[in-house]
Amino acid sequence: MDFQVVILAGGFSSNLVPLVSKEVPKALLPVANRPVLSYVLDLLESNNLKDLIVVVEGEDAALKVGGWISSACVDRLHVEVAAVAENIGTAGALRAIAHHLTAKDILIVSGDIVSDIPPGAVAATHRRHDAVVTVMLCAQPVSGPSESGGSSGKDKTKKPACEDIVGLDSWKQFLLYIAKGTEIKKDTRVNKSILCAAGKMELRSDLMDSHIYAFKRSVLQEVLDQKPAFRSLKQDVLPYLVRTQLRSDVSSDQNNVEENGNGKDNMQNNEVVLSQILSNASLPSFHQVYESGLDSRKTHKCCVYIADESKIFVRLNSIQAFMDVNRDVIGDANHLSGYSFSAHHNIVHPSAELGSKTTVGPHCMLGEGSQVGDKCSVKRSVIGRHCRIGSNVKIVNSVVMDHATIGDGCSIQGSVICSNAQLQERATLRDCQVEAGYIVCAGGEHKGETFARR
Amino acid sequence: MESRRNPRAVVDPKVRQVGFFTSSQPDSSSTQQQTEPISASASASSPPVSTISPSGNSLSPVMIPPPRLNSSDTFPLRNAAAGATSAVSPSSFSYSNRRDFPDGSTTASPGRHSRGSFVKSSAPVASSLPGIGMDSMAAAKSSSVPASGLTTVSVVTMPPGLAENASGMEVQSDQKKNSKSLKEKTTKAERRAIQEAQRAAKAAAKADGGKVPPGTSASLASTSVKVAKPAKPSTQKNEVAVSAGVTEKKGGPSEKDRKKDAPHPRMQYDDESRVVKAKRRAVVKQTEAKNRVELFRHLPQYEHGTQLPDLEAKFFQLDPMHPAVYKVGLQYLSGDISGGNARCIAMLQAFQDVIKDYSTPPEKNLNRDMTSKISSYVSFLIECRPLSISMGNAIRFVKNRIAKLPITLSESEAKAALQSDIERFINDKIIGADMVIVKHAVTKIRDGDVLLTYGSPTAVEMILLHAHELKKKFRVLVVDSRPKLEGQLLLRRLIKRGISCTYTHINAISYIMHEVTKVFLGASSVLSNGTVYSRVGTACVAMVASAFRVPVLLCCEAYKFHERVQLDSICSNELGDPNAISKVHGREDINYLDGLTNNANLQFLNLMYDATPSDYISMIITDYGMVPPTSVPVIVREYQKEHLLV
């Protein structure tokens, strides 16, 4: 279909700090004991996209990610990993790999999404309107822990009231305005000409940019070349394209070719009539109306695809989101996890050992080779592989990654225990994050702390 | 089925027959009743004949006689079917593949990570290993403007076929497996038994009044497809396209003979088993609208809004579909392109792209393979929206050209020849024809005329614009109708050129007709009895005009002519979105019909086309000149052959 897929997998993201480490870049953070990247890859694979470029920030991260992909996806996907310098932003990353992009359109997917929205829909909308950029918007996810979890984590990462503010035309096809909700303090500027041309703009704050974009390659590359200051796709490139959609200077030549159709520019009378028939056949978008009103103006289209509300979409971009994703994948969105659930709505690997009187509740997951001592209680939690958990341990709403050791009598609530971490006896953690390899001393009571080595 | 049709044919002559019936029809249907018991047993062998020919069905609104190359038409189908069944095993295979992945067999634990436990990967993979890859990475790092290199970390070494099929296309694997195994096992007698069982089941379902549970009927139908296959080539022979709604399924030997000569009956959407079958083949998921008007049950009508998201979602999964074709299909489905000429041109241009990107697979013949490709694209387009007759003619032309390609031609030559043929078709038959029509029609416009047009016909628009350029002084009345309101677009363009216009809706037609001096209409098709098949409302306009003795001039390119005969607009028509007529754009307060869509006592009917009898047409302006409607068969007879040859 002449689409190239670029996955922006990020590097060691700073807002996930105790969770990511030298060993585990963001893309490999486990969600239900699978790296988050695998959800993206599965989604793409199920859509028959098998030729992927994964862009990772930093060489170390690239090596890690590349190593994992090659072990997991060999024979299934054709993946190429590109390492780019850190902190150059999404636009910078694309600039770095620009010379590898050859297809007509580029599908850019963030590497940290867990979703079941088919990316084909974005691509199809993109093609249908012959747009310069198509953005997928989805409903804001419900953040925060589930009701049973109490108020844990709420004080930690409070979501802003609205993430993005988007302006749509009355048919909900075109993007007229986009801004980050947090950036808007008091007032904002809306392009008047766009508003006049579209007639009506619907401003919505309940939709969120999902970081799945389809770009026309030539336009994207042109913008990246012309505006070296642009760092981020979302904050620079996209608003720029939206802003200039009625006075397009970047893509004018492309549009020309597109409109004259089929590349043949022998200005025959027939060709003119032909394109006229075709354009008359369809309901003109406001772009065309505007264009015809003012001669010699070029426009380009910025489209949106609004995902169905029943679809699941979560981005793993904060610690809270990490908890949410783990909860959802084991709970409501369990079809994404690819596991088959037992009758108790949980997954206990056959090789896991459970002590006597230990209960594993619904929406739980117990990885391969993990041992759980006597009289433990595990609720709504994900426990990784080869964990050793002592007796009388209570784990609620938490994520325990591989090879963690938890001593007797510990109580863990709403926390993340990274791999190889160790909790000594009777430690009580609530809304804490424990870095990989960290040792929490015995008997301590902690609330809302982050354990990390300096 | 019997219970409904026979009484219609015999007892109650007043009820209009759906479809066309040849003269022998009444006789055969009356004999049918007498011979019912016999025919029932005899028909055990006949269903294969009627249940086959999916290609004929899929080309629904237009009956395209199969191209002369019989085998070329039958082979692709069989290929497609084979492809579909073969897709079963890989898909289930890949599924299991994915299933065992989370269990940890392939995901490496952190420990395994660093060791790099991948064996099959080739050299570039090795470079991504922590140990070795460092220097290449470092090189990338050293440049300040980082142009990063790509490292291939995972390569697909699967056989391509497997990889393609491994996608999650909604293959109903269970059913197919069932049917496949059934087919393998059954002997002739058993197959007959199965058919009997099917019939019984169907009758039972009918009696219940409810629907056949989709699962069972699907599996039953699928078996019948498999069984029916051997008989297929026999019905491909016919060249005459005469009747549409020939009754299927029953009838004695005489009818069977007749059936051989009859064309593929168009898909009758009230025939449940066929619908189920068609659905299995369908690329676009189609949910049939439940609440349909009885008289139009035989036409496809789908729940609006269900198709588009589904098709969009499958964008990357339709591997064999060419992007250009896909785009056109999407545009048909979403209504971005409408209008006979535009749809035809868009389709032909997509086919040009297809031909440009085509390369003959090894051990295949270009003529045959490309015909099958085009056929599969066409059936996809039909799923998006039923073909117009003009498109049918264009497809016939393309297929004909492909079939007629000399075998000695090299691939590039053949492709170039086909592309230029299509180009020529667009230029000569559509645009050139419009030019000629404009030239003829302009002579009919005099100063002071008041011209009425309905909807937004391309040819008429060109005429009006040209007449205006010639400084003729006339006024235009644009008559429009809900829900598409295409006239508004025409109006906008006419006003921009400075033509004085009046705009009204069709319900004011009798009032406005007083001042009209000429009526210019467009058409979707002109049939060989002179009947004009056009946007719904055209008949009304033409009839009012003729009642007021206003001449009706119909502008239609000759490629839209068809040899079919049609007396009414029931047997062949298209149903639009039923919800479109219940909503008034821009008036949210008019919502009296909200929530009544699924009310059993209310059925919405949004017809797209109607048939205008030739009596109401004064003249047809076509690229062969200005002719009376009675001359259409002459043009079809004399020029259609030549037009196929070009």
Side-chain angles (χ1 to χ4, degrees):
Chain A
M1 284 293 179
D2 209 12
F3 258 93
Q4 242 175 332
V5 185
V6 177
I7 301 172
L8 299 175
F12 302 106
S13 166
S14 59
N15 48 3
L16 283 167
V17 131
L19 271 53
V20 297
S21 63
K22 284 272 174 295
E23 295 300 314
V24 188
K26 181 182 175 187
L28 296 184
L29 273 180
V31 171
N33 292 342
R34 281 165 62 192
V36 64
L37 189 61
S38 72
Y39 291 90
V40 179
L41 295 181
D42 277 3
L43 176 68
L44 295 173
E45 191 191 356
S46 69
N47 281 280
N48 207 18
L49 291 167
K50 291 162 190 287
D51 219 333
L52 316 170
I53 299 175
V54 177
V55 184
V56 187
E57 279 185 9
E59 271 86 52
D60 295 347
L63 285 181
K64 293 274 178 341
V65 173
W68 174 78
I69 292 175
S70 56
S71 64
C73 302
V74 78
D75 271 13
R76 293 199 300 150
L77 300 168
H78 182 264
V79 183
E80 288 169 304
V81 171
V84 298
E86 284 171 60
N87 297 322
I88 55 169
T90 43
L94 282 174
R95 221 172 264 141
I97 61 152
H99 57 283
H100 293 292
L101 303 177
T102 49
K104 188 175 163 218
D105 295 289
I106 313 286
L107 188 71
I108 296 171
V109 183
S110 176
D112 56 359
I113 58 170
V114 176
S115 169
D116 57 355
I117 302 169
V122 184
T125 312
H126 186 70
R127 276 286 160 82
R128 198 180 115 200
H129 293 291
D130 206 11
V132 160
V133 58
T134 303
V135 184
M136 182 158 94
L137 301 176
C138 55
Q140 299 243 20
V142 205
S143 158
S146 59
E147 47 291 302
S148 66
S151 62
S152 61
K154 229 165 219 170
D155 45 350
K156 179 132 259 150
T157 46
K158 215 166 188 184
K159 281 258 167 164
C162 54
E163 203 148 275
D164 295 300
I165 293 181
V166 290
L168 306 174
D169 74 325
S170 46
W171 300 98
K172 295 188 178 60
Q173 283 180 331
F174 298 108
L175 188 62
L176 308 178
Y177 175 77
I178 186 160
K180 222 170 155 60
T182 47
E183 279 173 0
I184 296 176
K185 296 285 183 299
K186 246 180 158 178
D187 43 28
T188 177
R189 295 161 69 88
V190 175
N191 197 323
K192 190 175 156 197
S193 61
I194 294 178
L195 195 55
C196 289
K200 194 170 153 188
M201 178 157 94
E202 194 181 322
L203 275 177
R204 296 182 64 162
S205 58
D206 58 334
L207 292 174
M208 177 180 88
D209 177 11
S210 67
H211 290 73
I212 297 181
Y213 310 108
F215 277 98
K216 193 174 268 184
R217 177 188 52 88
S218 50
V219 173
L220 179 65
Q221 285 181 335
E222 210 172 323
V223 172
L224 291 177
D225 285 348
Q226 282 179 0
K227 312 275 175 185
F230 282 1
R231 286 192 70 245
S232 156
L233 275 185
K234 180 183 162 55
Q235 281 159 36
D236 299 321
V237 178
L238 185 61
Y240 171 76
L241 285 175
V242 171
R243 220 164 43 228
T244 58
Q245 57 183 318
L246 289 185
R247 44 188 168 84
S248 155
D249 39 340
V250 278
S251 55
S252 50
D253 44 345
Q254 274 83 24
N255 269 2
N256 239 339
V257 174
E258 292 297 320
E259 269 161 28
N260 284 343
N262 297 335
K264 271 178 245 159
D265 277 345
N266 48 353
M267 295 304 263
Q268 273 180 9
N269 198 16
N270 279 358
E271 299 277 329
V272 178
V273 178
L274 195 73
S275 60
Q276 210 178 344
I277 290 178
L278 281 181
S279 66
N280 286 351
S282 55
L283 207 69
S285 71
F286 69 89
H287 295 94
Q288 282 156 354
V289 174
Y290 186 81
E291 213 169 87
S292 61
L294 291 150
D295 289 333
S296 80
R297 277 292 179 92
K298 284 294 157 201
T299 60
H300 60 236
K301 293 178 189 166
C302 302
C303 292
V304 290
Y305 171 80
I306 300 178
D308 197 29
E309 279 189 18
S310 61
K311 300 279 187 193
I312 290 146
F313 180 89
V314 204
R315 275 194 80 203
L316 206 170
N317 52 4
S318 66
I319 292 172
Q320 182 59 53
F322 176 76
M323 306 285 293
D324 292 345
V325 171
N326 270 295
R327 182 199 65 212
D328 287 347
V329 168
I330 296 300
D332 303 334
N334 53 27
H335 61 281
L336 282 174
S337 64
Y339 300 100
S340 53
F341 282 73
S342 73
H344 307 292
H345 301 287
N346 58 15
I347 315 155
V348 178
H349 196 272
S351 64
E353 294 171 27
L354 294 181
S356 62
K357 291 192 180 169
T358 285
T359 55
V360 177
H363 308 308
C364 280
M365 176 163 185
L366 209 55
E368 163 196 7
S370 284
Q371 301 168 350
V372 183
D374 300 339
K375 292 183 186 166
C376 290
S377 153
V378 181
K379 286 177 191 161
R380 292 178 170 274
S381 299
V382 178
I383 295 172
R385 301 179 190 84
H386 306 286
C387 292
R388 283 199 303 280
I389 296 170
S391 345
N392 262 326
V393 175
K394 202 175 152 202
I395 303 176
V396 182
N397 274 323
S398 300
V399 179
V400 179
M401 296 190 201
D402 303 347
H403 299 277
T405 311
I406 294 171
D408 296 346
C410 285
S411 163
I412 301 164
Q413 264 199 37
S415 302
V416 183
I417 316 289
C418 291
S419 51
N420 289 316
Q422 197 178 338
L423 263 64
Q424 292 175 342
E425 288 84 46
R426 296 180 312 286
T428 307
L429 300 185
R430 198 183 165 94
D431 308 330
C432 294
Q433 290 87 40
V434 181
E435 198 200 23
Y438 194 91
I439 301 172
V440 180
C441 298
E445 266 195 44
H446 307 277
K447 194 173 177 196
E449 283 178 57
T450 300
F451 297 95
R453 276 160 295 185
R454 294 293 141 209
Chain B
M1 192 117 320
E2 276 99 324
S3 60
R4 227 184 59 214
R5 286 220 175 151
N6 279 335
R8 266 195 192 177
V10 185
V11 179
D12 186 4
K14 263 182 267 173
V15 175
R16 223 197 289 214
Q17 293 270 12
V18 175
F20 289 100
F21 296 85
T22 53
S23 55
S24 67
Q25 177 60 34
D27 306 336
S28 69
S29 60
S30 60
T31 51
Q32 235 172 50
Q33 264 201 336
Q34 297 150 11
T35 59
E36 199 73 84
I38 311 158
S39 70
S41 64
S43 62
S45 56
S46 70
V49 185
S50 59
T51 49
I52 41 160
S53 69
S55 75
N57 293 336
S58 56
L59 288 176
S60 73
V62 190
M63 272 168 321
I64 303 161
R68 247 149 256 179
L69 212 56
N70 276 336
S71 48
S72 69
D73 207 13
T74 55
F75 273 29
L77 283 163
R78 230 175 269 170
N79 282 349
T85 45
S86 75
V88 172
S89 56
S91 76
S92 61
F93 160 72
S94 82
Y95 181 54
S96 67
N97 231 6
R98 226 176 304 153
R99 281 282 301 284
D100 62 31
F101 156 62
D103 291 342
S105 60
T106 43
T107 353
S109 62
R112 261 209 266 167
H113 255 256
S114 47
R115 260 181 286 143
S117 64
F118 31 98
V119 197
K120 278 185 194 168
S121 36
S122 50
V125 181
S127 73
S128 74
L129 279 171
I132 320 157
M134 275 305 186
D135 29 16
S136 66
M137 292 297 187
K141 195 184 189 178
S142 62
S143 57
S144 58
V145 181
S148 72
L150 295 183
T151 320
T152 310
V153 292
S154 160
V155 189
V156 183
T157 50
M158 254 199 276
L162 218 60
E164 273 170 26
N165 290 330
S167 67
M169 286 276 260
E170 287 171 36
V171 185
Q172 296 161 324
S173 46
D174 308 13
Q175 278 181 15
K176 290 227 169 123
K177 264 180 202 158
N178 276 341
S179 62
K180 211 176 165 190
S181 59
L182 264 176
K183 186 198 171 191
E184 282 160 8
K185 274 181 226 158
T186 48
T187 64
K188 203 171 187 179
E190 278 172 295
R191 265 177 270 153
R192 181 163 295 182
I194 288 170
Q195 280 181 347
E196 297 288 0
Q198 278 170 34
R199 203 157 294 122
K202 212 175 289 167
K206 269 266 156 59
D208 287 353
K211 284 189 172 173
V212 182
T216 58
S217 62
S219 64
L220 285 176
S222 65
T223 59
S224 72
V225 183
K226 297 276 150 55
V227 173
K229 214 166 261 169
K232 192 183 294 170
S234 63
T235 47
Q236 300 275 348
K237 278 178 192 159
N238 44 64
E239 285 274 287
V240 229
V242 189
S243 70
V246 187
T247 46
E248 310 101 8
K249 291 248 167 188
K250 49 203 162 165
S254 67
E255 192 158 349
K256 223 161 79 185
D257 288 343
R258 199 164 58 81
K259 219 172 265 165
K260 264 184 192 167
D261 297 330
H264 310 303
R266 293 170 20 138
M267 177 83 171
Q268 299 289 303
Y269 281 80
D270 45 0
D271 185 344
E272 264 185 59
S273 69
R274 278 168 176 240
V275 170
V276 167
K277 246 183 290 168
K279 225 179 244 173
R280 278 194 311 116
R281 280 196 310 271
V283 177
V284 188
K285 197 179 96 195
Q286 294 165 330
T287 321
E288 293 250 355
K290 287 175 215 82
N291 220 350
R292 288 185 288 173
V293 179
E294 178 68 38
L295 196 54
F296 292 95
R297 286 264 165 90
H298 60 288
L299 298 173
Q301 181 170 12
Y302 304 110
E303 291 279 7
H304 230 77
T306 55
Q307 295 163 284
L308 189 60
D310 182 68
L311 184 64
E312 279 184 337
K314 276 201 242 164
F315 183 69
F316 291 112
Q317 290 162 6
L318 300 171
D319 228 7
M321 206 53 66
H322 191 277
V325 177
Y326 181 87
K327 184 178 168 184
V328 170
L330 209 57
Q331 284 171 330
Y332 287 172
L333 189 55
S334 58
D336 283 357
I337 293 185
S338 59
N341 283 336
R343 275 167 72 196
C344 195
I345 291 172
M347 180 187 72
L348 288 173
Q349 286 182 338
F351 284 166
Q352 270 184 320
D353 284 358
V354 167
I355 292 167
K356 198 168 72 190
D357 297 346
Y358 176 83
S359 64
T360 319
E363 297 173 17
K364 280 202 177 151
N365 183 335
L366 180 134
N367 302 16
R368 292 181 177 188
D369 188 57
M370 201 187 280
T371 315
S372 75
K373 265 240 163 71
I374 297 279
S375 302
S376 72
Y377 294 151
V378 168
S379 62
F380 168 73
L381 293 180
I382 291 172
E383 282 163 31
C384 294
R385 189 177 162 186
L387 294 185
S388 67
I389 288 173
S390 56
M391 289 164 72
N393 282 340
I395 291 165
R396 185 148 58 137
F397 165 78
V398 171
K399 284 194 177 172
N400 204 304
R401 297 308 301 173
I402 295 173
K404 289 247 171 73
L405 281 176
I407 308 172
T408 49
L409 238 53
S410 78
E411 189 183 307
S412 56
E413 283 171 334
K415 278 161 66 179
L418 283 176
Q419 274 176 291
S420 70
D421 278 343
I422 294 179
E423 184 84 45
R424 207 141 37 96
F425 187 90
I426 296 176
N427 286 339
D428 294 355
K429 295 289 167 192
I430 303 178
I431 293 167
D434 276 338
M435 302 289 183
V436 177
I437 290 173
V438 167
K439 219 188 299 167
H440 286 306
V442 157
T443 60
K444 295 285 165 201
I445 299 180
R446 300 202 190 91
D447 281 352
D449 264 348
V450 178
L451 310 175
L452 183 142
T453 186
Y454 175 70
S456 174
T458 37
V460 175
E461 182 182 349
M462 289 162 87
I463 292 165
L464 296 176
L465 294 180
H466 187 66
H468 183 68
E469 276 167 24
L470 294 179
K471 303 269 188 286
K472 299 208 174 188
K473 289 183 183 56
F474 61 94
R475 214 151 59 80
V476 180
L477 285 172
V478 179
V479 178
D480 207 354
S481 72
R482 290 190 58 238
K484 285 187 121 184
L485 300 178
E486 293 155 311
Q488 295 188 351
L489 297 172
L490 173 71
L491 193 67
R492 198 184 189 97
R493 294 192 289 263
L494 291 181
I495 290 171
K496 220 174 77 188
R497 299 295 188 89
I499 300 175
S500 150
C501 295
T502 304
Y503 177 78
T504 185
H505 275 202
I506 195 164
N507 33 21
I509 186 80
S510 59
Y511 172 75
I512 206 98
M513 197 54 89
H514 288 288
E515 43 183 307
V516 175
T517 54
K518 279 181 191 84
V519 174
F520 278 90
L521 295 174
S524 169
S525 176
V526 180
L527 308 176
S528 63
N529 60 344
T531 301
V532 174
Y533 185 69
S534 184
R535 177 101 186 83
V536 67
T538 306
C540 168
V541 171
M543 285 177 200
V544 173
S546 82
F548 281 84
R549 310 214 176 280
V550 178
V552 176
L553 310 176
L554 189 99
C555 309
C556 182
E557 300 84 353
Y559 85 104
K560 290 178 175 172
F561 289 5
H562 200 271
E563 60 210 355
R564 188 177 1 164
V565 168
Q566 197 173 315
L567 299 173
D568 55 34
S569 50
I570 297 169
C571 66
S572 154
N573 209 321
E574 194 183 327
L575 298 178
D577 177 11
N579 293 327
I581 50 173
S582 67
K583 290 201 181 75
V584 182
H585 183 64
R587 287 289 301 273
E588 303 287 324
D589 52 323
I590 301 183
N591 55 358
Y592 312 115
L593 297 179
D594 277 7
L596 292 179
T597 322
N598 289 324
N599 191 323
N601 293 328
L602 175 67
Q603 288 116 19
F604 290 104
L605 178 64
N606 182 9
L607 277 181
M608 302 286 272
Y609 295 100
D610 66 11
T612 311
S614 58
D615 308 352
Y616 303 109
I617 308 291
S618 323
M619 180 198 282
I620 294 179
I621 307 177
T622 174
D623 31 339
Y624 297 109
M626 291 180 273
V627 296
T630 45
S631 302
V632 172
V634 182
I635 291 180
V636 170
R637 188 180 66 227
E638 295 298 321
Y639 294 101
Q640 208 103 56
K641 272 205 194 90
E642 169 233 357
H643 135 175
L644 283 180
L645 300 171
V646 176

